[in-house]
Amino acid sequence: MALTNQAAIEVNNLLHLSLIQANLTNHQYVPALAAALPEVRLVGDSLMHITYELRPVAAWDDGRPILGSDVAFTVKLMFCPGLPNEVVRNQYHFIKAVITDPATPRRFTIVCRGQAPEYVKATGDFCILPAATLDPAGRLSRFTLAELQHRAPTAPADTALQALARQYQQGYAGHPPGQLPGCGPYELVTWEKDRFLHLRRKSHWWADQLHPAPLMLRAKPQQLEYVIIPDVATAILALRRGELDVFPQMPAREFERLRTAPATRAALQFYTTDSYNVVTAGFNTSRPVLADAATRRALSRCFDAGRLMKATQLGAGQRTVGFISPSDTANYNRALALIPFDPIQAAALLRQGGWRRAAAPTAGWFRPGPAGTSQQLRLTMRYRAGDPLLTTIALQFQAATAPLDIPVSLLPTEAGSFSEVLRVGDFDMYAQVLKGNPFMFNFTPFLHSKGIGVGNFTRFTTPASDRLIEAIATASSNASRQRLLRQFQALMQQEMPMVPLFFLPSRTVADKRLSGLNVGSLKPGYLATTIVRAARATPAP
């Protein structure tokens, strides 16, 4: 349940399936495990019933049918103590119950608190897990979803739930690769942490019975291998040698260099699209020097987003006022101004925050702290080691703050530990790419008080922002949600827990013999399951 990065999500979606999936080519949701898009019924003014029916041929790897009871089990797992489910718990707290139909076991209804249009997509957009494999003793069936949702963190440990948590972990750790329970088209063959993943197409997969097979349920490659190469130059060399077939999210300069070189232009194909990934800088608002909005707004004026976009993306991308893409004309708040690069204004805002600038030999910014202490504005900034985009952002910020006598120490952090370091709060600032989509606006994981210690790395929270995030998630009409989203963007620009810099373009390079990549703006930017490789031409005798 704890999927820490996009690569993990991509592989998980090859091993498992959700009820519905987003089509990369047209951004429309289409049935996957479900036989059709769900039926929706509003109940009173506070509940929504979303009814699905599973495909008759949908089955687990052992041939057992996938049933509504598996869906009910999966939702309960989201709230089971002892599992790494903090993020999904916050995402799916609106589900009140899953009602199965004993007479039609493939049919079930998800009862939602509230009537937000987003719930129709959200209820179908999580992977379904096998109850019989992960809970053969049926321990979770003894608890209602409400009992799990309202179970107090301080409640005494329950032996049945503890046993279930162990069973869940062993259900994966205890299975050899190739025997992991799932219903997706591929099985895991080998895996070496931080190096590679090798997946093999199942010889008998239930969706092979569908004719014609929907785009999102095709699985053409017989083998898929994901290779982790941290060094960009090494990865490009592997691509040119034919050792890699697809290089997603290639940095701008390398992309342009390959695209304009005759040799590589003849051997490779190049794709560029918009994306929903926004480059951000975040503040640890629990640190006393960053606890006030005036200081955070001042520091936001030390990021030169325009020059950064030119330097790292060759000018491509979109400046933004917030976490919603400017391409989303219905929800983007165009009444707000872009955050300027303005060190003079930064100094003025620091004075509004109570800071006073001292001259040499004790040059810097100081203000009174609690109990007669003195605070100095000096910062540490973390970012993923080896990432040229984030490195450039950190260096630019450090250079901009130096003339203001604000010392900034840069801490490049290994990718494997970066998220954990942010989670425990071992930083003042960080630079990160926040990945999004155009379908759902759930800010709870990374900006609500419920996300603190999980995905809300900034630790930012106010009663007003919590209420607004909750209102957005439960808005019952698109018009209401649009109004709330504009308010939210304005509030975030005022409070500034994170600095939105710009939305990235997506650049993908692939071997020219490949077709069927279905490149699009949704992550990961292409569809691995539809790729076809043309046979290598045989020289004439």
Side-chain angles (χ1 to χ4, degrees), residues 98-402:
V98 180
I99 303 172
T100 56
D101 185 348
T104 313
R106 293 183 182 274
R107 187 175 175 85
F108 58 93
T109 296
I110 298 178
V111 182
C112 303
R113 301 180 184 89
Q115 299 179 341
E118 283 187 6
Y119 292 168
V120 179
K121 298 168 183 173
T123 54
D125 198 19
F126 55 86
C127 290
I128 308 305
L129 301 175
T133 303
L134 299 177
D135 186 19
R139 296 183 179 93
L140 207 53
S141 63
R142 305 173 198 171
F143 299 86
T144 66
L145 179 59
E147 288 172 338
L148 294 169
Q149 289 176 326
H150 299 130
R151 186 177 179 81
T154 57
D158 184 282
T159 54
L161 293 177
Q162 287 179 322
L164 174 65
R166 288 194 300 271
Q167 181 73 42
Y168 173 86
Q169 302 288 359
Q170 293 168 0
Y172 289 92
H175 281 73
Q179 296 182 24
L180 292 172
C183 60
Y186 290 87
E187 59 188 6
L188 182 62
V189 179
T190 53
W191 166 47
E192 188 170 333
K193 188 176 185 296
D194 297 330
R195 289 199 60 198
F196 67 88
L197 282 159
H198 180 199
L199 298 108
R200 177 175 57 216
R201 193 194 190 283
K202 295 170 184 173
S203 56
H204 300 286
W205 181 44
W206 63 266
D208 294 335
Q209 302 174 63
L210 301 176
H211 302 288
L215 176 70
M216 303 305 291
L217 290 178
R218 297 174 191 171
K220 294 187 175 181
Q222 293 300 308
Q223 310 277 339
L224 287 171
E225 190 166 327
Y226 290 81
V227 183
I228 300 170
I229 307 176
D231 181 68
V232 172
T234 304
I236 289 175
L237 183 60
L239 181 70
R240 296 184 66 174
R241 289 174 172 172
E243 298 166 2
L244 286 182
D245 292 310
V246 182
F247 189 147
Q249 308 302 325
M250 181 177 285
R253 292 190 183 280
E254 288 77 4
F255 182 92
E256 283 302 309
R257 181 167 55 82
L258 293 179
R259 190 181 66 83
T260 55
T264 48
R265 189 170 65 241
L268 302 171
Q269 48 191 325
F270 301 84
Y271 303 91
T272 304
T273 64
D274 291 333
S275 84
Y276 294 91
N277 301 334
V278 59
V279 183
T280 65
F283 300 104
N284 185 344
T285 64
S286 68
R287 296 289 170 91
V289 298
L290 296 170
D292 61 295
T295 300
R296 299 192 297 267
R297 287 198 303 273
L299 294 170
S300 75
R301 271 59 177 176
C302 296
F303 288 98
D304 192 344
R307 288 184 64 188
L308 283 168
M309 195 165 71
K310 184 175 181 180
T312 64
Q313 308 303 314
L314 303 181
Q318 300 180 86
R319 291 285 310 277
T320 182
V321 301
F323 311 118
I324 295 173
S325 169
S327 300
D328 186 350
T329 56
N331 297 304
Y332 184 75
N333 191 341
R334 296 194 179 277
L336 298 176
L338 294 170
I339 300 167
F341 174 63
D342 192 340
I344 295 175
Q345 189 183 54
L349 287 168
L350 285 176
R351 294 186 184 94
Q352 290 181 23
W355 296 97
R356 294 295 176 264
R357 190 173 186 176
T362 58
W365 292 82
F366 299 85
R367 70 180 175 187
T373 61
S374 177
Q375 297 177 355
Q376 180 181 2
L377 187 57
R378 55 188 312 125
L379 304 165
T380 60
M381 186 174 191
R382 288 193 182 271
Y383 53 94
R384 290 184 188 272
D387 188 311
L389 166 62
L390 302 181
T391 300
T392 303
I393 292 169
L395 289 169
Q396 182 272 310
F397 180 76
Q398 185 186 53
T401 55

